[in-house]
Every structure is written in structure tokens, then in C-alpha cells.
Amino acid sequence: MAEIKLHGFWYSPFTWRVKWTLELKGISYENIEEDRFNMSTQLFQYNPVYKRTPVLIHDRKPICESMIIVEYIDQIWPHNPLIPTDSYEKSQAQFWVKYADDMIFAVESIVRSNNGEEKEKAIEKIWEYLRVVEVQCFNDEKNFFGGDTINIVDIAFGSIVKFLEVLEDALGVKVLEYEKFPHFHSWYNNFKNTPIIKENLPDQSKMVAFLKFTLFVMPFTSVTTLSCIGI
């Protein structure tokens, strides 16, 4: 098997996406933890345009951007497929992946909000996204976006929701209300309790401590931090 390396940050939801994909596929890889204050020269060589993680190196060739990497992995290693083979189903999955990424801007606004009113508006915006997903994507018979198995949409949304869980604890806010989005909550419980995902989730307390330190102890670096984790 060709050499596989992953440059990323342990706390980045976008790095999680790639790690989860590699683990779901059972692919061995070398994890290279980058320092957000002193990123490696190799990373800048591999991603000279955006200069950010994650970057997957496969047979000395770099692939950048989390969901592009996920698609690449799924094409090169087609076992345990994450992307539907049917053209229509594939187009739907790509649509919802894009929708998940659009939701990131609302998450960013929570972190950047300066007062309670701004936070409430940011939370309402996230609720708008979740309401759409609740109505359009789930029914009582579906455990995951892909039906009975995890697919690329689960990976896209799962990374964002896990980060939202951390933000709730770090900022003392409540976003993921069960009563408002019961189907969404049921899906997330199925996702995070899947053995491979559960074994590769970041430690909640460690994540909360990291975010609190970044946002409150070192607030002058918050923009840099948001950029580093891809938000």
C-alpha cells in the first residue's frame, strides 16, 4: 500500500472528517499533528493556496480540503462506500454536504458575537438550518443520512454538530435542543455511538478547555484559531 499521511489539528472538525473516513475504511496512515502557531514548511508546500489543514498525502501527492479528501478516499478505496453510486442519490448527498458547510458561517457568528443579542441571532440562524434538515432529511426509518449506514453527509454534519456540542459547554449556550429537533438528535446519537466514530471522537473536556483558553485567555488569537480549525 502507498504511503499515507494526514496533516491536521486534533481539535479541528475538518481534520475529524478525514480521520473518521480513514478509520471507517480501515486504512492505516501516519498522523502528523501540526502546530497552529508554527505550521510545518511541508504543509505550506502541500497547500500553497490556503496554507491550512487538513492535507492528505497519498503516494507523495497532496490532496487538500476536507470533503474533497473524503471523496478522494472513497474513490481510491471503494470498500465501505460513503458516496452513493446512483447519480441522483449522489447529487443529493453533494447538495446536503454543501448545506452542512454553509452552516459553518452561522457557527462562526456565535464565536464572534459580542453580546447576548448577537448570540441569540446566531443561534436562531443555526436553528433555521436544523429545521430544514429535520423536515427534509429524516423519518422514523432512517438511522443515518444514507439509510442504514454512515455516508458522506453524516461525516459532514457530524463534525459540525460535535463542534457545536463543545461550543455549548465552552460558551454556556444551548443550541442543540432535543424538543425542537427530535429526528436530528436521534440521528446524531446513532452517529456518535457508532463504534468507529465513538472511538475517534475528540475528548469533550479537553476540547472545552482548549476553546475556553483560546477564546477567553488568548482572545487576540481567536480569528487565527477560527481560521486554523477551518471556521
Side-chain angles (χ1 to χ4, degrees):
M1 182 180 287
E3 184 179 56
I4 303 167
K5 299 180 179 180
L6 173 61
H7 290 253
F9 296 131
W10 68 269
Y11 49 82
S12 167
F14 297 92
T15 299
W16 304 341
R17 289 173 169 181
V18 181
K19 285 188 174 183
W20 293 341
T21 300
L22 291 167
E23 296 292 343
L24 286 165
K25 295 280 188 177
I27 299 169
S28 299
Y29 63 98
E30 179 184 352
N31 184 65
I32 300 173
E33 182 67 29
E34 290 285 346
D35 179 349
R36 68 190 178 94
F37 293 116
N38 186 28
M39 287 184 282
S40 67
T41 55
Q42 289 91 346
L43 178 67
F44 295 146
Q45 290 169 359
Y46 292 142
N47 191 354
V49 177
Y50 294 119
K51 298 180 175 65
R52 68 188 181 199
T53 63
V55 175
L56 184 79
I57 312 300
H58 177 219
D59 199 16
R60 300 183 181 180
K61 296 178 290 187
I63 305 96
C64 307
E65 297 299 297
S66 64
M67 297 316 294
I68 293 175
I69 297 172
V70 171
E71 290 192 33
Y72 176 87
I73 293 171
D74 200 57
Q75 291 170 0
I76 299 297
W77 294 277
H79 62 283
N80 301 333
L82 297 172
I83 300 174
T85 55
D86 177 81
S87 296
Y88 177 74
E89 294 299 325
K90 180 179 179 179
S91 72
Q92 295 305 295
Q94 290 172 328
F95 174 88
W96 289 110
V97 166
K98 175 64 166 58
Y99 192 81
D101 280 349
D102 287 345
M103 185 174 158
I104 293 164
F105 296 105
V107 176
E108 175 187 1
S109 63
I110 291 181
V111 180
R112 293 181 183 275
S113 59
N114 295 314
N115 55 57
E117 183 179 352
E118 289 182 1
K119 274 191 175 60
E120 287 181 9
K121 289 181 179 179
I123 292 171
E124 278 286 351
K125 187 64 179 177
I126 293 174
W127 285 349
E128 288 179 19
Y129 280 99
L130 296 182
R131 287 188 192 104
V132 171
V133 177
E134 176 79 10
V135 172
Q136 299 294 330
C137 295
F138 296 112
N139 56 49
D140 293 333
E141 298 176 357
K142 288 180 66 173
N143 292 324
F144 304 103
F145 282 92
D148 293 327
T149 58
I150 288 174
N151 77 359
I152 192 171
V153 185
D154 299 285
I155 292 199
F157 272 104
S159 59
I160 297 171
V161 177
K162 176 57 185 175
F163 190 72
L164 272 173
E165 276 192 330
V166 175
L167 274 182
E168 285 184 326
D169 286 351
L171 300 178
V173 297
K174 188 61 179 175
V175 182
L176 303 168
E177 296 188 9
Y178 176 82
E179 295 78 9
K180 292 181 183 293
F181 315 106
H183 288 102
F184 193 86
H185 267 268
S186 179
W187 158 77
Y188 184 59
N189 284 331
N190 292 332
F191 176 77
K192 70 180 181 180
N193 287 315
T194 300
I196 289 177
I197 300 299
K198 188 174 183 178
E199 292 166 9
N200 291 279
L201 286 172
D203 181 81
Q204 180 78 5
S205 59
K206 186 178 178 183
M207 276 292 303
V208 171
F210 168 77
L211 270 186
K212 282 185 174 180
F213 177 78
T214 301
L215 298 174
F216 302 126
V217 179
M218 301 178 66
F220 59 90
T221 66
S222 61
V223 173
T224 302
T225 302
L226 292 172
S227 175
C228 285
I229 64 176
I231 290 190

